[in-house]
Structure formats: C-alpha cells, structure tokens
Amino acid sequence: MNALVDVLYALVSDYTLRTVALGSAVLGLVSGALGTYAVLRRQSLIGDAIAHAALPGIALAFLLTGSRVTLVLLIGALVAGWLATLAIMAVTQTSRITFDSALGVALSVFFGVGLMLLTYIQQTAGARQAGLDTFLFGQAATLVTDDVWTMAALGTVALLGMGLFWKEFKLVSFDPVFARTIGLPVRLLDTLLMTLLVLAIVIGLQTVGVVLMSAMLVAPAAAARQWTDHLGTMVGLSMAFGVAAGVSGALISSLVANLPTGPTIVICVSLIVAISLALAPHRGLVWRYLRDRRSSLQQPIADPAAQKGTS
Amino acid sequence: MTITQLEIQLVAVVVAAACALPGVYLVLRGMAMMSDAISHSILPGIVVAFFLVENLNSPLLIVGAALTGLLTVVLVELLADTRLVKEDAAIGIVFPAFFSLGVILIARFAGDVHLDLDAVLLGELAFAPFNRLEIAGRDLGPQGLYAMGAVGLLNLSFILLFYKELKLATFDAALATALGFAPVALHYTLMALVSITAVAAFDAVGAILVVALIVGPPASARFLTDRLSLTLGLSVALGVACAISGYWLAHSLDASIAGSIATMVGVCFTACYLFAPTHGLVAYYLMQRERRWTFARKVLVIHLLQHEGLPEAKRECRVDHLHDHLSWTPGFAERVVAQAEDRALVRHRDGRLWLTPGGRALAQEAVVHT
C-alpha cells in the first residue's frame, strides 16, 4: 500500500514522471480512439506504414528550417505520413498491387529515404542530429511540458474531427456502398479519416517511436472489440485501455532501472489484449472453452440415437 | 573503384537477390507485411541467443532468430484462427510485443555489451568488409558475403526443388491440398526461409530495409510480367539494380547505403507503377483513351450502316448530324470522322459520309458480335 502511495505521490510531484505520464495518457487516448477505425476497417497495419513514413518528413523539416521545435518536426511528419497514405490509397486503387504490398513498399521506402536524409544531415550539418533519432525508438524521458501541450493540441483536433463526423465515418466504414448511394463523398471522408489517423500517429512518435507506434493504434482497439459490439462503447473502452497502458507503462518504467518507456507501454497494452482475448464475456477464449466442454458433456443425453443404444 | 567498394556492392547484390526470391511468394500470397513482422520480431531471438553464446557471429543467433520468426508466424495464425481479431490486427499486435521484449532485454541486460539497437534496425553495409572470413590464416573475403550467399543458395534451391508445389499452393491452395501437396508444410518452410533471410540480412541492411528488398522488387516485377518464372527472374534483376545504384547514390551523398538502396527501390517501384508497358498507369490511361476512340469509330460505322441506302440517309449521314444523333460535340465528331477516313472505314463525298467495304465489314461484325 505504501508503495502505491509513493508512486501516486511521485506522479504529482516529479516533473519528469508527470510529463511522461501525461504525454503517454494523451497518446493512449487519441490513438485508442482513432485505432478503432483502423482495426474495424481491416487497415490495422496502415499505422505501422504511416509511422515509418513520417521519418523523412521529420528529417526534411529539420533540413529546411534548421529548427528542432517539436511542432515543426511533427508538421513535417504529418505531411510525409499523409503523402504516404495517399500514395498507398492511389496505388491500391489504380493498379494490380494489393494493399499489403503497397504498405510494405511505402513503409520501407519512405523509411529508407528518411534514413538517407538523416545520415546526410549528420554529414553536412556537422553537428549531431540529436533529438531527431529519438523519433526512431521514442524517448519519453525527453518530453517537456511544451511537447505535451503540442500533443494535446493535435490530439484535440483529431478527436474533434472524429466527433464531428461520427455518423459519416461510421457509415463509410461499415457500409460504404450505402454511403455512396445516399450521396456521401465517400472518398473525401476516407481521406479525412486517414488524415486524422496520421495526426494520431504523429502524436505518439516522440514517446514510443516509429517502430512501436502501430501497437498503440491496434492493440487497445483489438482489446476493446472483445468486450462489446457497439461502436461507441468500443471507442470509449479503447481510449480507456490506451490511457491505462500509457500511464502504467510510464509508471513501471520509472520504477525499474533501465526500462525504456515505449516498449514498456507496448508490453502493458499487449497484456490488456491477452486478458481481453481470454476473459471477455461471450467472446473470450476461456468462456468459449467452458461452453464447448459443457456442450460436449451434454451431448450423449441430448442425442436420441445414443439414448436408444443404451436402453 | 577500390576493393572495399567492390566488396560492399557484392554483399549488397547478394542480399538483394536472396531477399527477392522468397519475396515474390509473399507478395503473390498477399502476405507482404509478414516480412515486416518477422524482421522486427526476430530481435528477442537474436538477443537471447546472444546472451547464450556471447558472440555476434555465431550461427546459433541465426537459429534463435529464425525460431522467433516462426513463432511469430504461428502466433499470428493462432490469433487469427480464434476469429477474435482479423489477421492484420493479429500481425499488428504480435510483432510490436516481440520487438518491445527485445528492446527491453537489450536495455536491461546488454548495457555494456556490443549489441546496438541502431545497428539491428538500420544496419550498416559500409562495415560489411571489416568482418573477414579467414580459414587457416587465409583471407577469403567478407563474412557477410558467404553468409548471405549461403542463404541465397538455400532460397534458390528450395524454389527450384518445389517450384511446381509452391506455384500451386500460391495460386490454388485448395487444389494443392486436394492433390496432397501439403501446402501448410510448404507455407511454414517458406516462412522459415523468410526468417532466415531476414536474420542474415539485418546485419547488412537492418530490419526495416530488409522489407524494402523483400517486397519492393517483386511488387515492381508484378507490373512487368504475369509469368511466375519471369517474376522471379525480374525481381532478382531489379533488386540487384537497386542495390548497385543505391550504393552509388549513397556514395555521392555520403549517406546511409541501406537508406539509399531503399530509396532506389522506391524509384524503381514508382517507375514501374507509372511506365510499365501494359500494367502501368500511363499505359492504362493510353489504352483507355484508345478504347474510347475505337468505340467511337465503331459507333460511327454502325450508325452509317443503319441508314445506308434508306431515304433518310441523305440527312443522317452528314458530319454535322452526328452532333444531334449521337450527342457528340462537333469537334469530337470531326476527329472521329477524320480517324475513320484515315483507316479507310468511311469516305467523304457529295457532302455526306459513305461506308467503304472495310467500314461496312467492321460495322457488320460489330453488330453481330454485340
């Protein structure tokens, strides 16, 4: 009990821990919400592609402005991620290339360009590109209050957009044909939803990095899916799971030495998925197993042929 | 060109060729992102095997990593089989968890050992020649060249041996099962090969750029051919071309070789996407435009045939009447007529249009066949 009080006290008093926990909470909240759509639309892996594709944007933003202000770098990331998304959508719609191949090519090529630019910057600028490669794996410990504000502002935009077009996004995701019939601009709405998704991903880059960002998008939503069939409830739960994983990951990594924050958050969110898959009512694997066993025990009695054989 | 430069390019070429071969099957099976998952999730395998043998060049590392790669594939499929999550979400859940585990293991226990995260993820091809293979005191060249060459040969012999079976399992898994070709066993063998390739290549190009070489060249080759054998050959050729041009791009910019090779993969893919002979975007639009004109010429001759020899022919068979009847703009109608005249389908005489024998034949054939 004392340990818990200590942790809660540290959460309020320790500047770094408070900042990291707040940042992780914002990240979990926004990616949990937007991730719901990515998972339901079977586009879970697009988050992975967008996160990787943000790297050249960060490098270019630095190369063009010479600034290391988080907002400037994130705008670069936003533009590059958005371009990658458009490229993936265009290639899959106008050619024989399937979605998975388009994702693979976009992810690795954008990342490769980013890497090339980063090493180029390193050579020419003379100075170390410190601060830039924190985006690779994320370094939550480097978060400052300004970063959290930036994240919160971008996150608010993403969540507002999602709330504003709630009905439209729902329809476009579940029944695009009907949406087109009643005259909704389906392609525009798809692009808008993707843009909000890019926004959500960019927010997390500094905390968990490009490699692990996709987990923050997919895992909370996949876990939430097990508990409900209702979109609103799913979004709510997904946001709650995202926040829970973010804050607990930040706390645990602050308690144990040499425990990087990003991976710890991902392990936390993976545990939430495992628990949900096992225990969620109706769908959970444990309930399924018990149900199967009960029905297999009941079968001989229910089967009239078997009854006749015994009598 | 120095010996070192030559050696780096040789390693890059062998990596590209070895990656492209299994990549073709991943792309054709719609499992391209599995390469991303495998190349990331081998990290904990490498780390654990490294703790056991404490040697970065031990073959046990490859075994450990390949096993983790297979474990990832099995876990993804088990998860998807529960039907609680879709396959793409299963991939998105499993590999970040594995990768996180690997990062945490490195951070916790390998603080002072040389196992650099940057190197695992990004690779550094420029260092490939420093690691020499020496037997009985004689220098035989870069170690990576032999490791990658062996993996490439392994991939090649697997594909040559099971070419027919792989082809069938890729394009018609149900028939393959019915004929007793064990597509499941083939599938896991293929996945094991992808894992081994990813492990061997990550050292040179890094985990993420392995994906570029596995997915990029086969996806580009898809634009160029429909034949499996040609797809395999072209993928290897494109991969090799990207490796060499990427090396020289890196050389001129003084930037990361792996990043530059991936950039060239992007250039190659974009070029194929836009300019491939029949499946490229430009060819597609040109074909669509050509179809539109062909159709318009057919409509013109059919229209003329309908009214040929009838009293209203004098009124119907004029260029300016096409505007009323077919709602063509005057400009469009004139171009169609000019094209039809060029192809000797119609003739212009006495202020009206006449069908030539060729035009009549085309119209009759078009009417019969529609």
Side-chain angles (χ1 to χ4, degrees), chain B residues 216-367:
Chain B
S220 311
R222 287 281 288 137
F223 286 111
L224 303 174
T225 177
D226 287 329
R227 294 188 59 86
L228 179 60
S229 51
L230 270 178
T231 310
L232 284 163
L234 276 173
S235 300
V236 172
L238 289 176
V240 166
C242 292
I244 295 177
S245 54
Y247 173 78
W248 289 106
L249 178 66
H251 185 75
S252 65
L253 290 176
D254 199 7
S256 150
I257 301 174
S260 306
I261 292 178
T263 307
M264 287 317 294
V265 170
V267 171
C268 166
F269 180 83
T270 314
C272 291
Y273 168 55
L274 292 178
F275 306 119
T278 45
H279 299 294
L281 202 59
V282 173
Y284 177 75
Y285 277 116
L286 288 180
M287 191 178 70
Q288 277 217 317
R289 213 177 61 174
E290 184 50 37
R291 274 197 190 143
R292 187 162 148 241
W293 290 113
T294 314
F295 181 72
R297 290 197 298 270
K298 271 190 187 160
V299 168
L300 174 69
V301 291
I302 292 172
H303 173 72
L304 294 178
L305 183 74
Q306 287 286 312
H307 302 293
E308 196 174 43
L310 294 174
E312 76 268 18
K314 205 172 169 180
R315 185 167 48 84
E316 292 283 347
C317 301
R318 282 181 299 127
V319 180
D320 44 359
H321 186 72
L322 297 173
H323 168 65
D324 300 332
H325 202 119
L326 300 171
S327 45
W328 287 353
T329 63
F332 184 77
E334 264 166 41
R335 283 185 67 179
V336 175
V337 169
Q339 284 184 8
E341 278 187 288
D342 282 348
R343 287 168 175 72
L345 298 172
V346 299
R347 263 177 308 141
H348 216 165
R349 193 157 44 81
D350 306 335
R352 50 175 285 204
L353 294 167
W354 303 83
L355 279 174
T356 62
R360 196 170 299 117
L362 178 69
Q364 276 159 352
E365 191 203 21
V367 171

Side-chain angles (χ1 to χ4, degrees), chain A residues 229-247:
Chain A
D229 286 332
H230 189 267
L231 180 66
T233 319
M234 183 175 163
V235 170
L237 269 177
S238 180
M239 288 160 87
F241 289 156
V243 173
V247 174

Side-chain angles (χ1 to χ4, degrees), chain A residues 254-289:
Chain A
S254 79
L255 291 176
V256 185
N258 284 332
L259 201 59
T261 313
T264 312
I265 294 178
V266 172
I267 295 293
C268 287
V269 82
S270 303
L271 285 178
I272 294 179
V273 173
I275 293 168
S276 303
L277 287 174
L279 294 181
H282 306 304
R283 287 169 67 105
L285 291 173
V286 172
W287 304 126
R288 187 189 285 181
Y289 171 74

Side-chain angles (χ1 to χ4, degrees), chain B residues 46-47 49-51 53-62 113-116 119-120 131 143 199 202-203:
Chain B
I46 296 174
V47 177
F50 178 72
F51 288 154
V53 295
E54 303 205 329
N55 174 9
L56 257 183
N57 299 315
S58 158
L60 202 69
L61 252 65
I62 295 200
V113 203
H114 177 72
L115 188 62
D116 194 5
V120 173
N131 229 332
Q143 208 172 38
V199 185
F202 93 92
D203 203 23

